[in-house]
PDB file of all heavy atoms in Angstrom:
ATOM      1  N   TYR G  77      29.011 -24.249 -38.240  1.00 95.00           N
ATOM      2  CA  TYR G  77      29.218 -25.441 -39.053  1.00 95.00           C
ATOM      3  C   TYR G  77      27.881 -25.882 -39.721  1.00 95.00           C
ATOM      4  O   TYR G  77      27.853 -26.182 -40.899  1.00 95.00           O
ATOM      5  CB  TYR G  77      29.758 -26.569 -38.201  1.00 95.00           C
ATOM      6  CG  TYR G  77      30.113 -27.807 -39.016  1.00 95.00           C
ATOM      7  CD1 TYR G  77      31.272 -27.940 -39.720  1.00 95.00           C
ATOM      8  CD2 TYR G  77      29.234 -28.899 -39.007  1.00 95.00           C
ATOM      9  CE1 TYR G  77      31.565 -29.075 -40.432  1.00 95.00           C
ATOM     10  CE2 TYR G  77      29.531 -30.069 -39.711  1.00 95.00           C
ATOM     11  CZ  TYR G  77      30.720 -30.127 -40.418  1.00 95.00           C
ATOM     12  OH  TYR G  77      31.028 -31.259 -41.123  1.00 95.00           O
ATOM     13  N   LEU G  78      26.794 -25.882 -38.966  1.00 95.00           N
ATOM     14  CA  LEU G  78      25.533 -26.301 -39.523  1.00 95.00           C
ATOM     15  C   LEU G  78      25.005 -25.324 -40.569  1.00 95.00           C
ATOM     16  O   LEU G  78      24.356 -25.726 -41.527  1.00 95.00           O
ATOM     17  CB  LEU G  78      24.457 -26.458 -38.397  1.00 95.00           C
ATOM     18  CG  LEU G  78      24.752 -27.575 -37.351  1.00 95.00           C
ATOM     19  CD1 LEU G  78      23.733 -27.502 -36.231  1.00 95.00           C
ATOM     20  CD2 LEU G  78      24.759 -28.913 -37.993  1.00 95.00           C
ATOM     21  N   PHE G  81      25.632 -25.912 -44.343  1.00 94.00           N
ATOM     22  CA  PHE G  81      24.955 -26.988 -45.101  1.00 94.00           C
ATOM     23  C   PHE G  81      23.428 -26.850 -45.112  1.00 94.00           C
ATOM     24  O   PHE G  81      22.793 -27.542 -45.889  1.00 94.00           O
ATOM     25  CB  PHE G  81      25.335 -28.340 -44.546  1.00 94.00           C
ATOM     26  CG  PHE G  81      26.827 -28.602 -44.516  1.00 94.00           C
ATOM     27  CD1 PHE G  81      27.552 -28.451 -43.330  1.00 94.00           C
ATOM     28  CD2 PHE G  81      27.494 -28.976 -45.625  1.00 94.00           C
ATOM     29  CE1 PHE G  81      28.913 -28.613 -43.260  1.00 94.00           C
ATOM     30  CE2 PHE G  81      28.910 -29.217 -45.607  1.00 94.00           C
ATOM     31  CZ  PHE G  81      29.593 -29.030 -44.427  1.00 94.00           C
ATOM     32  N   SER G 109      17.625 -30.641 -46.478  1.00 94.00           N
ATOM     33  CA  SER G 109      18.988 -30.296 -46.077  1.00 94.00           C
ATOM     34  C   SER G 109      19.329 -30.816 -44.667  1.00 94.00           C
ATOM     35  O   SER G 109      20.449 -31.142 -44.367  1.00 94.00           O
ATOM     36  CB  SER G 109      19.200 -28.791 -46.148  1.00 94.00           C
ATOM     37  OG  SER G 109      18.368 -28.109 -45.245  1.00 94.00           O
ATOM     38  N   THR G 110      18.287 -30.822 -43.768  1.00 94.00           N
ATOM     39  CA  THR G 110      18.491 -31.424 -42.474  1.00 94.00           C
ATOM     40  C   THR G 110      18.796 -32.903 -42.582  1.00 94.00           C
ATOM     41  O   THR G 110      19.704 -33.409 -41.857  1.00 94.00           O
ATOM     42  CB  THR G 110      17.243 -31.203 -41.594  1.00 94.00           C
ATOM     43  OG1 THR G 110      16.925 -29.784 -41.551  1.00 94.00           O
ATOM     44  CG2 THR G 110      17.480 -31.686 -40.173  1.00 94.00           C
ATOM     45  N   LEU G 111      18.108 -33.661 -43.450  1.00 95.00           N
ATOM     46  CA  LEU G 111      18.453 -35.033 -43.668  1.00 95.00           C
ATOM     47  C   LEU G 111      19.806 -35.192 -44.267  1.00 95.00           C
ATOM     48  O   LEU G 111      20.521 -36.113 -43.913  1.00 95.00           O
ATOM     49  CB  LEU G 111      17.380 -35.679 -44.578  1.00 95.00           C
ATOM     50  CG  LEU G 111      15.967 -35.789 -44.030  1.00 95.00           C
ATOM     51  CD1 LEU G 111      15.028 -36.383 -45.108  1.00 95.00           C
ATOM     52  CD2 LEU G 111      15.887 -36.639 -42.780  1.00 95.00           C
ATOM     53  N   HIS G 112      20.195 -34.314 -45.135  1.00 94.00           N
ATOM     54  CA  HIS G 112      21.515 -34.328 -45.769  1.00 94.00           C
ATOM     55  C   HIS G 112      22.613 -34.128 -44.696  1.00 94.00           C
ATOM     56  O   HIS G 112      23.629 -34.841 -44.709  1.00 94.00           O
ATOM     57  CB  HIS G 112      21.611 -33.280 -46.824  1.00 94.00           C
ATOM     58  CG  HIS G 112      22.989 -33.169 -47.467  1.00 94.00           C
ATOM     59  ND1 HIS G 112      23.516 -34.104 -48.276  1.00 94.00           N
ATOM     60  CD2 HIS G 112      23.909 -32.148 -47.352  1.00 94.00           C
ATOM     61  CE1 HIS G 112      24.720 -33.750 -48.652  1.00 94.00           C
ATOM     62  NE2 HIS G 112      25.003 -32.563 -48.100  1.00 94.00           N
ATOM     63  N   ILE G 113      22.374 -33.201 -43.754  1.00 95.00           N
ATOM     64  CA  ILE G 113      23.341 -32.969 -42.683  1.00 95.00           C
ATOM     65  C   ILE G 113      23.426 -34.206 -41.832  1.00 95.00           C
ATOM     66  O   ILE G 113      24.532 -34.624 -41.391  1.00 95.00           O
ATOM     67  CB  ILE G 113      22.894 -31.748 -41.868  1.00 95.00           C
ATOM     68  CG1 ILE G 113      23.031 -30.448 -42.693  1.00 95.00           C
ATOM     69  CG2 ILE G 113      23.779 -31.668 -40.584  1.00 95.00           C
ATOM     70  CD1 ILE G 113      22.504 -29.252 -41.976  1.00 95.00           C
ATOM     71  N   SER G 114      22.319 -34.852 -41.578  1.00 94.00           N
ATOM     72  CA  SER G 114      22.269 -35.992 -40.672  1.00 94.00           C
ATOM     73  C   SER G 114      22.936 -37.247 -41.209  1.00 94.00           C
ATOM     74  O   SER G 114      23.514 -38.043 -40.461  1.00 94.00           O
ATOM     75  CB  SER G 114      20.823 -36.269 -40.192  1.00 94.00           C
ATOM     76  OG  SER G 114      20.229 -35.175 -39.619  1.00 94.00           O
ATOM     77  N   PHE G 115      22.811 -37.481 -42.540  1.00 94.00           N
ATOM     78  CA  PHE G 115      23.210 -38.744 -43.099  1.00 94.00           C
ATOM     79  C   PHE G 115      24.368 -38.662 -44.096  1.00 94.00           C
ATOM     80  O   PHE G 115      25.022 -39.671 -44.341  1.00 94.00           O
ATOM     81  CB  PHE G 115      22.015 -39.407 -43.823  1.00 94.00           C
ATOM     82  CG  PHE G 115      20.907 -39.802 -42.922  1.00 94.00           C
ATOM     83  CD1 PHE G 115      19.704 -39.103 -42.902  1.00 94.00           C
ATOM     84  CD2 PHE G 115      21.051 -40.864 -42.015  1.00 94.00           C
ATOM     85  CE1 PHE G 115      18.682 -39.450 -42.059  1.00 94.00           C
ATOM     86  CE2 PHE G 115      20.000 -41.193 -41.182  1.00 94.00           C
ATOM     87  CZ  PHE G 115      18.833 -40.492 -41.158  1.00 94.00           C
ATOM     88  N   ASP G 116      24.597 -37.480 -44.649  1.00 92.00           N
ATOM     89  CA  ASP G 116      25.612 -37.388 -45.704  1.00 92.00           C
ATOM     90  C   ASP G 116      26.837 -36.536 -45.360  1.00 92.00           C
ATOM     91  O   ASP G 116      27.920 -36.739 -45.855  1.00 92.00           O
ATOM     92  CB  ASP G 116      24.964 -36.833 -46.992  1.00 92.00           C
ATOM     93  CG  ASP G 116      23.863 -37.773 -47.494  1.00 92.00           C
ATOM     94  OD1 ASP G 116      24.066 -38.988 -47.477  1.00 92.00           O
ATOM     95  OD2 ASP G 116      22.792 -37.252 -47.874  1.00 92.00           O
ATOM     96  N   VAL G 117      26.653 -35.506 -44.533  1.00 93.00           N
ATOM     97  CA  VAL G 117      27.726 -34.612 -44.159  1.00 93.00           C
ATOM     98  C   VAL G 117      28.593 -35.310 -43.076  1.00 93.00           C
ATOM     99  O   VAL G 117      28.047 -35.851 -42.140  1.00 93.00           O
ATOM    100  CB  VAL G 117      27.222 -33.273 -43.643  1.00 93.00           C
ATOM    101  CG1 VAL G 117      28.347 -32.418 -43.140  1.00 93.00           C
ATOM    102  CG2 VAL G 117      26.414 -32.572 -44.723  1.00 93.00           C
ATOM    103  N   ARG G 118      29.910 -35.326 -43.268  1.00 92.00           N
ATOM    104  CA  ARG G 118      30.777 -35.983 -42.311  1.00 92.00           C
ATOM    105  C   ARG G 118      30.681 -35.255 -40.945  1.00 92.00           C
ATOM    106  O   ARG G 118      30.992 -34.090 -40.823  1.00 92.00           O
ATOM    107  CB  ARG G 118      32.253 -35.937 -42.832  1.00 92.00           C
ATOM    108  CG  ARG G 118      33.201 -36.709 -41.975  1.00 92.00           C
ATOM    109  CD  ARG G 118      34.610 -36.670 -42.545  1.00 92.00           C
ATOM    110  NE  ARG G 118      34.681 -37.294 -43.850  1.00 92.00           N
ATOM    111  CZ  ARG G 118      34.804 -38.619 -44.073  1.00 92.00           C
ATOM    112  NH1 ARG G 118      34.928 -39.426 -43.036  1.00 92.00           N
ATOM    113  NH2 ARG G 118      34.844 -39.088 -45.319  1.00 92.00           N
ATOM    114  N   GLY G 119      30.292 -36.036 -39.939  1.00 91.00           N
ATOM    115  CA  GLY G 119      30.133 -35.478 -38.604  1.00 91.00           C
ATOM    116  C   GLY G 119      28.921 -34.636 -38.478  1.00 91.00           C
ATOM    117  O   GLY G 119      28.754 -33.978 -37.419  1.00 91.00           O
ATOM    118  N   GLY G 120      28.054 -34.561 -39.448  1.00 93.00           N
ATOM    119  CA  GLY G 120      26.922 -33.666 -39.391  1.00 93.00           C
ATOM    120  C   GLY G 120      25.926 -34.017 -38.276  1.00 93.00           C
ATOM    121  O   GLY G 120      25.447 -33.141 -37.543  1.00 93.00           O
ATOM    122  N   LEU G 121      25.614 -35.294 -38.142  1.00 95.00           N
ATOM    123  CA  LEU G 121      24.642 -35.689 -37.057  1.00 95.00           C
ATOM    124  C   LEU G 121      25.216 -35.440 -35.700  1.00 95.00           C
ATOM    125  O   LEU G 121      24.509 -34.980 -34.814  1.00 95.00           O
ATOM    126  CB  LEU G 121      24.304 -37.186 -37.249  1.00 95.00           C
ATOM    127  CG  LEU G 121      23.299 -37.739 -36.251  1.00 95.00           C
ATOM    128  CD1 LEU G 121      21.991 -36.984 -36.285  1.00 95.00           C
ATOM    129  CD2 LEU G 121      23.082 -39.246 -36.473  1.00 95.00           C
ATOM    130  N   LEU G 122      26.508 -35.658 -35.499  1.00 95.00           N
ATOM    131  CA  LEU G 122      27.132 -35.422 -34.211  1.00 95.00           C
ATOM    132  C   LEU G 122      27.087 -33.907 -33.901  1.00 95.00           C
ATOM    133  O   LEU G 122      26.730 -33.520 -32.738  1.00 95.00           O
ATOM    134  CB  LEU G 122      28.585 -35.898 -34.230  1.00 95.00           C
ATOM    135  CG  LEU G 122      29.411 -35.579 -32.971  1.00 95.00           C
ATOM    136  CD1 LEU G 122      28.803 -36.308 -31.779  1.00 95.00           C
ATOM    137  CD2 LEU G 122      30.879 -35.981 -33.160  1.00 95.00           C
ATOM    138  N   ILE G 123      27.361 -33.080 -34.885  1.00 96.00           N
ATOM    139  CA  ILE G 123      27.340 -31.638 -34.623  1.00 96.00           C
ATOM    140  C   ILE G 123      25.911 -31.165 -34.353  1.00 96.00           C
ATOM    141  O   ILE G 123      25.677 -30.325 -33.472  1.00 96.00           O
ATOM    142  CB  ILE G 123      27.935 -30.869 -35.842  1.00 96.00           C
ATOM    143  CG1 ILE G 123      29.409 -31.266 -36.009  1.00 96.00           C
ATOM    144  CG2 ILE G 123      27.789 -29.353 -35.645  1.00 96.00           C
ATOM    145  CD1 ILE G 123      30.298 -30.904 -34.856  1.00 96.00           C
TER     146      ILE G 123
END
Side-chain angles (χ1 to χ4, degrees):
Y77 184 80
L78 295 175
F81 305 98
S109 64
T110 305
L111 294 177
H112 176 69
I113 292 173
S114 302
F115 295 108
D116 300 316
V117 175
R118 187 178 298 275
L121 181 58
L122 176 63
I123 298 299

